[in-house]
């Protein structure tokens, strides 16, 4: 067993949902199946392959997901990497688990290619979410990526760089958007390590030194604050010192001429309290004990961040007059900051609540109160949907985020993303690139294979348009099968000339 080897018991011990015998049985049986399917397989790191499945499942459990998602996590590489098929997974574990496994397999095919332009990356993120079609698939994929990043050193260097870049540009923004701060921070730091080793080492050294120096008075602050709050009749659920994620610290240092003395939240104290009124009461007590820095109080409880983050931050002159940050929040806010959307499952009684409930709160049929401000990320998804002017009926009917239904994304060989309506053909694709490319089109390749011009492009395919050099007129027959109005009008225009 390797030094990071874990067992299925470790996964079960991290369950945040209630550990019923039914759930345990499902997880154990998915484990047994995965163990058998991956038997004899090794990871590049030399570990048994099952360790990857177990670590992915552990990450999913930590995010507070249920047994089906954990089972799907254990099985996520089975259809792609073993002789067992998706059908066999479905037969044994049912359509829901199979659906998630299939989703993860499909997402594995989307890769960051070439260019890094912002619009391309944003489309890639959207496509990723659209293709996931179920938020749980995204959670599994993030859990999978987290373990892949933790074991990235086993891969050749050029691959390390590509995967780290993809993680930084595609996965961390998605984790951020879903409000999964803990995963986002971990993915960012691991990417940082592989993309910019020099600065990573530098920052880690700075942080270790500063932390060692400040730990003494941080510990003192924890003791003093706990005493002060308890004396004033406030129940402290938890209080602890915390340090900043490395990549975040690096970003901040860059903004402040790399001067560590200008960073006030390098370390701080986090206080977890029973409810919101306690947070405000505690804020007063903290300020009575330690003088606050003017203009450094941030109330994200009244005004949550766009991804739903809630907390009160204040910067004070702590023990020995040293500046430090204090964060005050409820347990729910803390869990939501770390686990985002996943935490909503824990804090709502119904595990399978629909998005209608999430968006409209208790206006839905079943009474279920979810404050709107906590759901900014759902709104963000809605905004994307509205940008595309899609009918949202289906979107809000279920927890699926298939709001890009009827919409596909294809790539040029250079890696540019072209979005098209469903059933679009290479001719639609060609006109989207340029009218002259459309007019001169003679053939097309999808993922390197020749296809007919009326071929229906699939999501994620690389489409290459073959053209003739000289000017030519398009074919009238194309009007029979093109999908976009752009292609239609361009073809007609070419004939009018
Ligand atoms: Mn995997």
């Amino acid at each position: 067993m390797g030094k990071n080897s874990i067992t299925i018991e470790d996964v079960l011990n991290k369950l945040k949902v209630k550990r019923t015998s039914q759930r345990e049985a499902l997880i154990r049986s998915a484990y047994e199946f995965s163990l058998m399917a991956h038997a004899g397989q090794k990871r590049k790191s030399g570990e048994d392959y099952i360790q990857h499945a177990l670590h992915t499942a552990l990450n999913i459990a930590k995010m507070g997901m249920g047994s089906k998602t954990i089972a799907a996590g254990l099985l996520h590489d089975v259809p792609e990497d073993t002789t067992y098929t998706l059908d066999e997974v479905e037969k044994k574990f049912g359509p829901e688990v199979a659906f998630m496994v299939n989703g993860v397999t499909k997402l594995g095919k989307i890769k960051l290619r070439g260019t890094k332009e912002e619009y391309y990356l944003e489309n890639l993120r959207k496509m990723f979410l659209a293709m996931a079609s179920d938020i749980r698939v995204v959670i599994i994929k993030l859990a999978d990526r987290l373990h892949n990043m933790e074991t990235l050193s086993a891969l050749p260097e050029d691959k390390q760089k590509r995967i780290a870049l993809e993680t930084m540009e595609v996965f961390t923004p998605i984790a951020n958007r879903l409000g999964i701060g803990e995963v986002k921070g971990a993915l960012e730091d691991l990417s940082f390590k592989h993309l910019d080793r020099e600065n990573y080492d530098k920052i880690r050294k700075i942080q270790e030194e500063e932390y060692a120096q400040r730990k003494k008075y941080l510990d003192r602050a924890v003791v003093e604050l706990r005493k002060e709050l308890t004396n004033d009749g406030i129940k402290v659920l938890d209080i602890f010192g915390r340090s900043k994620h490395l990549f975040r610290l690096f970003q901040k240092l860059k903004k402040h001429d790399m001067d560590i003395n200008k960073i006030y939240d390098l370390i701080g104290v986090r206080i977890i309290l029973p409810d919101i009124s306690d947070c405000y009461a505690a804020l007063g007590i903290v300020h009575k004990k330690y003088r606050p820095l003017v203009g450094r109080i941030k109330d994200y409880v009244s005004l949550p961040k766009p991804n739903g983050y809630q907390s009160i931050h204040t910067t004070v002159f702590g023990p020995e007059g040293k500046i430090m940050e204090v964060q005050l929040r409820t347990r729910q806010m803390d869990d939501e900051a770390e686990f985002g959307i996943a935490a909503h499952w824990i804090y709502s009684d119904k595990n399978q609540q629909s998005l209608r409930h999430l968006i409209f709160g208790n206006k839905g049929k079943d009474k279920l109160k979810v404050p709107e401000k906590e759901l900014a990320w759902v709104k963000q998804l809605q905004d994307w949907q509205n940008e595309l002017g899609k009918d949202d009926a289906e979107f809000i009917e279920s927890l699926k985020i298939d709001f890009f239904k009827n919409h596909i994304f294809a790539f040029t060989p250079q890696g540019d993303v072209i979005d098209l309506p469903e059933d679009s053909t290479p001719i639609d694709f060609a006109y989207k690139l340029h009218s002259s490319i459309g007019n001169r089109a003679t053939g097309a390749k999808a993922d390197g294979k020749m296809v007919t011009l009326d071929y229906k492009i699939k999501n994620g395919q690389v489409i290459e348009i073959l053209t003739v050099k000289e000017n030519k007129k398009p074919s009238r027959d194309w009007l029979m099968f093109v999908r976009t109005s752009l292609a239609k009008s361009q073809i007609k225009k070419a004939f009018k000339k």
Side-chain angles (χ1 to χ4, degrees), residues 447-485:
D447 288 338
K449 287 197 195 95
M450 285 300 297
V451 293
T452 55
L453 290 175
D454 63 350
Y455 174 79
K456 287 179 177 144
I457 298 172
K458 293 183 193 71
N459 224 344
Q461 280 186 323
V462 177
I463 304 296
E464 188 184 341
I465 304 296
L466 311 175
T467 54
V468 286
K469 275 216 179 86
E470 67 274 21
N471 255 335
K472 88 168 185 48
K473 277 198 172 176
S475 161
R476 229 182 251 282
D477 297 343
W478 293 354
L479 288 169
M480 311 273 285
F481 59 73
V482 292
R483 287 276 299 151
T484 53
S485 45

mmCIF file of all heavy atoms in Angstrom, residues 447-485:
data_model
loop_
_atom_site.group_PDB
_atom_site.id
_atom_site.type_symbol
_atom_site.label_atom_id
_atom_site.label_comp_id
_atom_site.label_asym_id
_atom_site.label_seq_id
_atom_site.Cartn_x
_atom_site.Cartn_y
_atom_site.Cartn_z
ATOM 1 N N ASP A 447 -13.655 15.212 -36.434
ATOM 2 C CA ASP A 447 -12.647 14.474 -35.664
ATOM 3 C C ASP A 447 -11.725 13.681 -36.586
ATOM 4 O O ASP A 447 -11.408 12.519 -36.330
ATOM 5 C CB ASP A 447 -13.314 13.536 -34.650
ATOM 6 C CG ASP A 447 -13.944 14.297 -33.496
ATOM 7 O OD1 ASP A 447 -13.517 15.458 -33.258
ATOM 8 O OD2 ASP A 447 -14.849 13.753 -32.845
ATOM 9 N N GLY A 448 -11.339 14.310 -37.683
ATOM 10 C CA GLY A 448 -10.364 13.711 -38.579
ATOM 11 C C GLY A 448 -10.924 12.759 -39.630
ATOM 12 O O GLY A 448 -10.201 12.307 -40.502
ATOM 13 N N LYS A 449 -12.227 12.442 -39.533
ATOM 14 C CA LYS A 449 -12.807 11.508 -40.512
ATOM 15 C C LYS A 449 -13.677 12.272 -41.502
ATOM 16 O O LYS A 449 -14.425 13.162 -41.126
ATOM 17 C CB LYS A 449 -13.692 10.474 -39.788
ATOM 18 C CG LYS A 449 -12.894 9.444 -39.014
ATOM 19 C CD LYS A 449 -13.774 8.223 -38.685
ATOM 20 C CE LYS A 449 -13.122 7.356 -37.622
ATOM 21 N NZ LYS A 449 -13.573 7.658 -36.262
ATOM 22 N N MET A 450 -13.605 11.871 -42.779
ATOM 23 C CA MET A 450 -14.435 12.523 -43.790
ATOM 24 C C MET A 450 -15.914 12.311 -43.471
ATOM 25 O O MET A 450 -16.324 11.201 -43.119
ATOM 26 C CB MET A 450 -14.136 11.928 -45.180
ATOM 27 C CG MET A 450 -12.817 12.372 -45.804
ATOM 28 S SD MET A 450 -12.664 14.161 -46.081
ATOM 29 C CE MET A 450 -13.992 14.443 -47.260
ATOM 30 N N VAL A 451 -16.693 13.381 -43.610
ATOM 31 C CA VAL A 451 -18.149 13.264 -43.426
ATOM 32 C C VAL A 451 -18.834 13.987 -44.579
ATOM 33 O O VAL A 451 -18.212 14.783 -45.279
ATOM 34 C CB VAL A 451 -18.621 13.877 -42.078
ATOM 35 C CG1 VAL A 451 -18.111 13.076 -40.896
ATOM 36 C CG2 VAL A 451 -18.188 15.347 -41.961
ATOM 37 N N THR A 452 -20.119 13.717 -44.781
ATOM 38 C CA THR A 452 -20.857 14.403 -45.833
ATOM 39 C C THR A 452 -21.191 15.824 -45.381
ATOM 40 O O THR A 452 -21.149 16.137 -44.186
ATOM 41 C CB THR A 452 -22.172 13.664 -46.137
ATOM 42 O OG1 THR A 452 -22.907 13.538 -44.921
ATOM 43 C CG2 THR A 452 -21.897 12.279 -46.706
ATOM 44 N N LEU A 453 -21.546 16.676 -46.327
ATOM 45 C CA LEU A 453 -21.812 18.076 -45.989
ATOM 46 C C LEU A 453 -23.119 18.251 -45.213
ATOM 47 O O LEU A 453 -23.328 19.277 -44.582
ATOM 48 C CB LEU A 453 -21.823 18.933 -47.264
ATOM 49 C CG LEU A 453 -20.444 19.118 -47.920
ATOM 50 C CD1 LEU A 453 -20.576 19.881 -49.231
ATOM 51 C CD2 LEU A 453 -19.475 19.833 -46.980
ATOM 52 N N ASP A 454 -23.994 17.238 -45.261
ATOM 53 C CA ASP A 454 -25.229 17.337 -44.474
ATOM 54 C C ASP A 454 -25.123 16.558 -43.146
ATOM 55 O O ASP A 454 -26.110 16.315 -42.476
ATOM 56 C CB ASP A 454 -26.450 16.850 -45.281
ATOM 57 C CG ASP A 454 -26.329 15.371 -45.649
ATOM 58 O OD1 ASP A 454 -25.242 14.785 -45.444
ATOM 59 O OD2 ASP A 454 -27.323 14.812 -46.164
ATOM 60 N N TYR A 455 -23.887 16.190 -42.800
ATOM 61 C CA TYR A 455 -23.621 15.475 -41.542
ATOM 62 C C TYR A 455 -24.088 16.319 -40.355
ATOM 63 O O TYR A 455 -23.972 17.551 -40.351
ATOM 64 C CB TYR A 455 -22.116 15.226 -41.444
ATOM 65 C CG TYR A 455 -21.641 14.635 -40.142
ATOM 66 C CD1 TYR A 455 -21.785 13.281 -39.875
ATOM 67 C CD2 TYR A 455 -21.031 15.445 -39.165
ATOM 68 C CE1 TYR A 455 -21.341 12.733 -38.676
ATOM 69 C CE2 TYR A 455 -20.584 14.910 -37.971
ATOM 70 C CZ TYR A 455 -20.746 13.557 -37.729
ATOM 71 O OH TYR A 455 -20.303 13.031 -36.540
ATOM 72 N N LYS A 456 -24.656 15.653 -39.359
ATOM 73 C CA LYS A 456 -25.089 16.382 -38.160
ATOM 74 C C LYS A 456 -23.960 16.406 -37.129
ATOM 75 O O LYS A 456 -23.592 15.373 -36.578
ATOM 76 C CB LYS A 456 -26.344 15.740 -37.572
ATOM 77 C CG LYS A 456 -27.546 16.035 -38.451
ATOM 78 C CD LYS A 456 -28.816 15.419 -37.947
ATOM 79 C CE LYS A 456 -29.961 15.856 -38.862
ATOM 80 N NZ LYS A 456 -30.953 14.809 -39.056
ATOM 81 N N ILE A 457 -23.446 17.598 -36.887
ATOM 82 C CA ILE A 457 -22.292 17.752 -35.993
ATOM 83 C C ILE A 457 -22.686 17.414 -34.554
ATOM 84 O O ILE A 457 -23.778 17.773 -34.109
ATOM 85 C CB ILE A 457 -21.760 19.205 -36.056
ATOM 86 C CG1 ILE A 457 -21.289 19.522 -37.473
ATOM 87 C CG2 ILE A 457 -20.622 19.425 -35.055
ATOM 88 C CD1 ILE A 457 -20.934 20.987 -37.687
ATOM 89 N N LYS A 458 -21.784 16.730 -33.869
ATOM 90 C CA LYS A 458 -22.028 16.401 -32.461
ATOM 91 C C LYS A 458 -21.217 17.321 -31.548
ATOM 92 O O LYS A 458 -20.147 17.793 -31.923
ATOM 93 C CB LYS A 458 -21.660 14.938 -32.186
ATOM 94 C CG LYS A 458 -22.571 13.967 -32.905
ATOM 95 C CD LYS A 458 -22.212 12.522 -32.552
ATOM 96 C CE LYS A 458 -22.875 11.542 -33.490
ATOM 97 N NZ LYS A 458 -22.287 11.572 -34.864
ATOM 98 N N ASN A 459 -21.754 17.517 -30.364
ATOM 99 C CA ASN A 459 -21.102 18.366 -29.381
ATOM 100 C C ASN A 459 -19.638 17.971 -29.184
ATOM 101 O O ASN A 459 -19.331 16.804 -29.020
ATOM 102 C CB ASN A 459 -21.831 18.216 -28.045
ATOM 103 C CG ASN A 459 -22.040 19.553 -27.385
ATOM 104 O OD1 ASN A 459 -21.419 20.550 -27.741
ATOM 105 N ND2 ASN A 459 -22.928 19.592 -26.423
ATOM 106 N N GLY A 460 -18.756 18.964 -29.224
ATOM 107 C CA GLY A 460 -17.365 18.705 -28.888
ATOM 108 C C GLY A 460 -16.503 18.234 -30.051
ATOM 109 O O GLY A 460 -15.305 18.009 -29.875
ATOM 110 N N GLN A 461 -17.077 18.066 -31.223
ATOM 111 C CA GLN A 461 -16.284 17.584 -32.353
ATOM 112 C C GLN A 461 -15.397 18.684 -32.937
ATOM 113 O O GLN A 461 -15.747 19.857 -32.900
ATOM 114 C CB GLN A 461 -17.205 17.046 -33.470
ATOM 115 C CG GLN A 461 -17.709 15.632 -33.173
ATOM 116 C CD GLN A 461 -18.485 15.051 -34.340
ATOM 117 O OE1 GLN A 461 -19.215 15.759 -35.031
ATOM 118 N NE2 GLN A 461 -18.335 13.751 -34.541
ATOM 119 N N VAL A 462 -14.267 18.263 -33.483
ATOM 120 C CA VAL A 462 -13.418 19.192 -34.225
ATOM 121 C C VAL A 462 -13.823 19.099 -35.687
ATOM 122 O O VAL A 462 -13.809 18.017 -36.272
ATOM 123 C CB VAL A 462 -11.926 18.824 -34.081
ATOM 124 C CG1 VAL A 462 -11.063 19.754 -34.926
ATOM 125 C CG2 VAL A 462 -11.508 18.885 -32.622
ATOM 126 N N ILE A 463 -14.223 20.216 -36.264
ATOM 127 C CA ILE A 463 -14.694 20.217 -37.649
ATOM 128 C C ILE A 463 -13.692 20.948 -38.530
ATOM 129 O O ILE A 463 -13.285 22.071 -38.231
ATOM 130 C CB ILE A 463 -16.080 20.908 -37.761
ATOM 131 C CG1 ILE A 463 -17.093 20.226 -36.835
ATOM 132 C CG2 ILE A 463 -16.557 20.912 -39.216
ATOM 133 C CD1 ILE A 463 -17.412 18.780 -37.181
ATOM 134 N N GLU A 464 -13.300 20.290 -39.586
ATOM 135 C CA GLU A 464 -12.380 20.900 -40.536
ATOM 136 C C GLU A 464 -13.111 21.030 -41.863
ATOM 137 O O GLU A 464 -13.712 20.067 -42.346
ATOM 138 C CB GLU A 464 -11.148 19.999 -40.684
ATOM 139 C CG GLU A 464 -10.042 20.629 -41.488
ATOM 140 C CD GLU A 464 -8.868 19.661 -41.687
ATOM 141 O OE1 GLU A 464 -8.763 18.679 -40.916
ATOM 142 O OE2 GLU A 464 -8.103 19.892 -42.621
ATOM 143 N N ILE A 465 -13.087 22.228 -42.444
ATOM 144 C CA ILE A 465 -13.778 22.452 -43.715
ATOM 145 C C ILE A 465 -12.757 22.430 -44.848
ATOM 146 O O ILE A 465 -11.750 23.140 -44.799
ATOM 147 C CB ILE A 465 -14.511 23.821 -43.708
ATOM 148 C CG1 ILE A 465 -15.483 23.900 -42.524
ATOM 149 C CG2 ILE A 465 -15.240 24.052 -45.030
ATOM 150 C CD1 ILE A 465 -16.629 22.917 -42.554
ATOM 151 N N LEU A 466 -13.010 21.587 -45.842
ATOM 152 C CA LEU A 466 -12.132 21.545 -47.013
ATOM 153 C C LEU A 466 -12.699 22.494 -48.056
ATOM 154 O O LEU A 466 -13.900 22.489 -48.322
ATOM 155 C CB LEU A 466 -12.062 20.122 -47.573
ATOM 156 C CG LEU A 466 -11.780 19.030 -46.525
ATOM 157 C CD1 LEU A 466 -11.855 17.643 -47.147
ATOM 158 C CD2 LEU A 466 -10.410 19.258 -45.885
ATOM 159 N N THR A 467 -11.833 23.324 -48.628
ATOM 160 C CA THR A 467 -12.314 24.321 -49.586
ATOM 161 C C THR A 467 -11.481 24.266 -50.864
ATOM 162 O O THR A 467 -10.381 23.722 -50.877
ATOM 163 C CB THR A 467 -12.173 25.752 -49.008
ATOM 164 O OG1 THR A 467 -10.812 25.937 -48.608
ATOM 165 C CG2 THR A 467 -13.099 25.965 -47.831
ATOM 166 N N VAL A 468 -12.056 24.842 -51.933
ATOM 167 C CA VAL A 468 -11.264 25.048 -53.146
ATOM 168 C C VAL A 468 -10.739 26.475 -53.114
ATOM 169 O O VAL A 468 -11.309 27.339 -52.453
ATOM 170 C CB VAL A 468 -12.111 24.837 -54.426
ATOM 171 C CG1 VAL A 468 -12.373 23.353 -54.628
ATOM 172 C CG2 VAL A 468 -13.399 25.634 -54.378
ATOM 173 N N LYS A 469 -9.635 26.696 -53.825
ATOM 174 C CA LYS A 469 -9.003 28.018 -53.769
ATOM 175 C C LYS A 469 -9.848 29.082 -54.470
ATOM 176 O O LYS A 469 -10.098 30.154 -53.946
ATOM 177 C CB LYS A 469 -7.620 27.956 -54.424
ATOM 178 C CG LYS A 469 -6.539 27.487 -53.459
ATOM 179 C CD LYS A 469 -5.219 28.220 -53.724
ATOM 180 C CE LYS A 469 -4.142 27.789 -52.745
ATOM 181 N NZ LYS A 469 -3.411 26.582 -53.188
ATOM 182 N N GLU A 470 -10.267 28.774 -55.708
ATOM 183 C CA GLU A 470 -10.955 29.787 -56.523
ATOM 184 C C GLU A 470 -12.365 30.064 -55.978
ATOM 185 O O GLU A 470 -12.934 29.240 -55.260
ATOM 186 C CB GLU A 470 -11.041 29.343 -57.995
ATOM 187 C CG GLU A 470 -11.934 28.136 -58.253
ATOM 188 C CD GLU A 470 -11.193 26.812 -58.062
ATOM 189 O OE1 GLU A 470 -10.144 26.783 -57.367
ATOM 190 O OE2 GLU A 470 -11.657 25.799 -58.602
ATOM 191 N N ASN A 471 -12.875 31.234 -56.311
ATOM 192 C CA ASN A 471 -14.238 31.582 -55.921
ATOM 193 C C ASN A 471 -15.226 30.627 -56.573
ATOM 194 O O ASN A 471 -15.118 30.336 -57.752
ATOM 195 C CB ASN A 471 -14.555 33.022 -56.369
ATOM 196 C CG ASN A 471 -14.530 33.932 -55.162
ATOM 197 O OD1 ASN A 471 -14.743 33.480 -54.033
ATOM 198 N ND2 ASN A 471 -14.270 35.200 -55.392
ATOM 199 N N LYS A 472 -16.149 30.146 -55.803
ATOM 200 C CA LYS A 472 -17.181 29.321 -56.417
ATOM 201 C C LYS A 472 -18.517 29.609 -55.755
ATOM 202 O O LYS A 472 -18.573 30.197 -54.683
ATOM 203 C CB LYS A 472 -16.809 27.831 -56.329
ATOM 204 C CG LYS A 472 -17.253 27.100 -55.080
ATOM 205 C CD LYS A 472 -17.067 25.614 -55.272
ATOM 206 C CE LYS A 472 -17.592 24.763 -54.121
ATOM 207 N NZ LYS A 472 -18.907 25.012 -53.617
ATOM 208 N N LYS A 473 -19.583 29.221 -56.434
ATOM 209 C CA LYS A 473 -20.904 29.436 -55.853
ATOM 210 C C LYS A 473 -21.281 28.230 -54.997
ATOM 211 O O LYS A 473 -20.884 27.104 -55.302
ATOM 212 C CB LYS A 473 -21.935 29.621 -56.973
ATOM 213 C CG LYS A 473 -21.954 31.041 -57.480
ATOM 214 C CD LYS A 473 -23.215 31.345 -58.238
ATOM 215 C CE LYS A 473 -23.236 32.843 -58.523
ATOM 216 N NZ LYS A 473 -24.340 33.277 -59.312
ATOM 217 N N PRO A 474 -22.043 28.479 -53.946
ATOM 218 C CA PRO A 474 -22.495 27.343 -53.144
ATOM 219 C C PRO A 474 -23.491 26.506 -53.933
ATOM 220 O O PRO A 474 -23.925 26.892 -55.012
ATOM 221 C CB PRO A 474 -23.179 28.004 -51.952
ATOM 222 C CG PRO A 474 -23.556 29.365 -52.419
ATOM 223 C CD PRO A 474 -22.539 29.762 -53.449
ATOM 224 N N SER A 475 -23.850 25.355 -53.386
ATOM 225 C CA SER A 475 -24.836 24.510 -54.049
ATOM 226 C C SER A 475 -26.225 24.856 -53.529
ATOM 227 O O SER A 475 -26.427 25.041 -52.329
ATOM 228 C CB SER A 475 -24.512 23.042 -53.768
ATOM 229 O OG SER A 475 -25.654 22.251 -54.010
ATOM 230 N N ARG A 476 -27.206 24.897 -54.468
ATOM 231 C CA ARG A 476 -28.579 25.216 -54.080
ATOM 232 C C ARG A 476 -29.156 24.133 -53.142
ATOM 233 O O ARG A 476 -29.981 24.417 -52.286
ATOM 234 C CB ARG A 476 -29.450 25.320 -55.329
ATOM 235 C CG ARG A 476 -30.299 26.566 -55.381
ATOM 236 C CD ARG A 476 -31.156 26.567 -56.618
ATOM 237 N NE ARG A 476 -30.708 27.562 -57.607
ATOM 238 C CZ ARG A 476 -30.967 28.850 -57.505
ATOM 239 N NH1 ARG A 476 -31.649 29.318 -56.492
ATOM 240 N NH2 ARG A 476 -30.566 29.690 -58.429
ATOM 241 N N ASP A 477 -28.679 22.899 -53.347
ATOM 242 C CA ASP A 477 -29.165 21.775 -52.527
ATOM 243 C C ASP A 477 -28.922 21.981 -51.036
ATOM 244 O O ASP A 477 -29.610 21.420 -50.206
ATOM 245 C CB ASP A 477 -28.472 20.464 -52.943
ATOM 246 C CG ASP A 477 -28.798 20.093 -54.373
ATOM 247 O OD1 ASP A 477 -29.780 20.655 -54.914
ATOM 248 O OD2 ASP A 477 -28.071 19.266 -54.942
ATOM 249 N N TRP A 478 -27.897 22.767 -50.726
ATOM 250 C CA TRP A 478 -27.551 22.980 -49.314
ATOM 251 C C TRP A 478 -28.737 23.562 -48.537
ATOM 252 O O TRP A 478 -28.877 23.331 -47.341
ATOM 253 C CB TRP A 478 -26.355 23.924 -49.182
ATOM 254 C CG TRP A 478 -25.057 23.352 -49.710
ATOM 255 C CD1 TRP A 478 -24.857 22.083 -50.167
ATOM 256 C CD2 TRP A 478 -23.815 24.028 -49.828
ATOM 257 N NE1 TRP A 478 -23.561 21.922 -50.564
ATOM 258 C CE2 TRP A 478 -22.887 23.106 -50.372
ATOM 259 C CE3 TRP A 478 -23.372 25.324 -49.552
ATOM 260 C CZ2 TRP A 478 -21.554 23.438 -50.628
ATOM 261 C CZ3 TRP A 478 -22.055 25.660 -49.789
ATOM 262 C CH2 TRP A 478 -21.150 24.719 -50.325
ATOM 263 N N LEU A 479 -29.553 24.345 -49.253
ATOM 264 C CA LEU A 479 -30.713 24.968 -48.578
ATOM 265 C C LEU A 479 -31.638 23.920 -47.970
ATOM 266 O O LEU A 479 -32.385 24.197 -47.043
ATOM 267 C CB LEU A 479 -31.496 25.843 -49.568
ATOM 268 C CG LEU A 479 -30.800 27.149 -49.956
ATOM 269 C CD1 LEU A 479 -31.519 27.799 -51.137
ATOM 270 C CD2 LEU A 479 -30.729 28.104 -48.772
ATOM 271 N N MET A 480 -31.557 22.696 -48.520
ATOM 272 C CA MET A 480 -32.430 21.630 -48.020
ATOM 273 C C MET A 480 -32.060 21.173 -46.602
ATOM 274 O O MET A 480 -32.889 20.656 -45.891
ATOM 275 C CB MET A 480 -32.358 20.397 -48.942
ATOM 276 C CG MET A 480 -32.531 20.694 -50.412
ATOM 277 S SD MET A 480 -34.269 20.695 -50.865
ATOM 278 C CE MET A 480 -34.577 18.927 -50.864
ATOM 279 N N PHE A 481 -30.784 21.318 -46.254
ATOM 280 C CA PHE A 481 -30.389 20.748 -44.956
ATOM 281 C C PHE A 481 -29.735 21.720 -43.982
ATOM 282 O O PHE A 481 -29.533 21.365 -42.836
ATOM 283 C CB PHE A 481 -29.506 19.505 -45.152
ATOM 284 C CG PHE A 481 -28.230 19.747 -45.938
ATOM 285 C CD1 PHE A 481 -27.175 20.441 -45.363
ATOM 286 C CD2 PHE A 481 -28.093 19.267 -47.244
ATOM 287 C CE1 PHE A 481 -26.009 20.664 -46.076
ATOM 288 C CE2 PHE A 481 -26.914 19.492 -47.966
ATOM 289 C CZ PHE A 481 -25.873 20.186 -47.370
ATOM 290 N N VAL A 482 -29.370 22.937 -44.415
ATOM 291 C CA VAL A 482 -28.715 23.814 -43.427
ATOM 292 C C VAL A 482 -29.696 24.216 -42.337
ATOM 293 O O VAL A 482 -30.918 24.264 -42.558
ATOM 294 C CB VAL A 482 -28.078 25.082 -44.065
ATOM 295 C CG1 VAL A 482 -26.896 24.696 -44.917
ATOM 296 C CG2 VAL A 482 -29.113 25.882 -44.832
ATOM 297 N N ARG A 483 -29.153 24.501 -41.161
ATOM 298 C CA ARG A 483 -29.990 24.777 -39.990
ATOM 299 C C ARG A 483 -30.018 26.260 -39.624
ATOM 300 O O ARG A 483 -31.000 26.760 -39.107
ATOM 301 C CB ARG A 483 -29.460 23.990 -38.782
ATOM 302 C CG ARG A 483 -29.746 22.523 -38.861
ATOM 303 C CD ARG A 483 -31.133 22.201 -38.348
ATOM 304 N NE ARG A 483 -31.279 22.594 -36.943
ATOM 305 C CZ ARG A 483 -32.422 22.947 -36.393
ATOM 306 N NH1 ARG A 483 -33.519 22.994 -37.107
ATOM 307 N NH2 ARG A 483 -32.481 23.275 -35.122
ATOM 308 N N THR A 484 -28.917 26.957 -39.866
ATOM 309 C CA THR A 484 -28.841 28.336 -39.396
ATOM 310 C C THR A 484 -29.373 29.306 -40.449
ATOM 311 O O THR A 484 -29.196 29.091 -41.649
ATOM 312 C CB THR A 484 -27.381 28.733 -39.057
ATOM 313 O OG1 THR A 484 -26.560 28.443 -40.190
ATOM 314 C CG2 THR A 484 -26.871 27.944 -37.865
ATOM 315 N N SER A 485 -29.998 30.380 -39.974
ATOM 316 C CA SER A 485 -30.500 31.394 -40.908
ATOM 317 C C SER A 485 -29.328 32.093 -41.582
ATOM 318 O O SER A 485 -29.436 32.541 -42.719
ATOM 319 C CB SER A 485 -31.390 32.390 -40.185
ATOM 320 O OG SER A 485 -30.788 32.771 -38.982
#
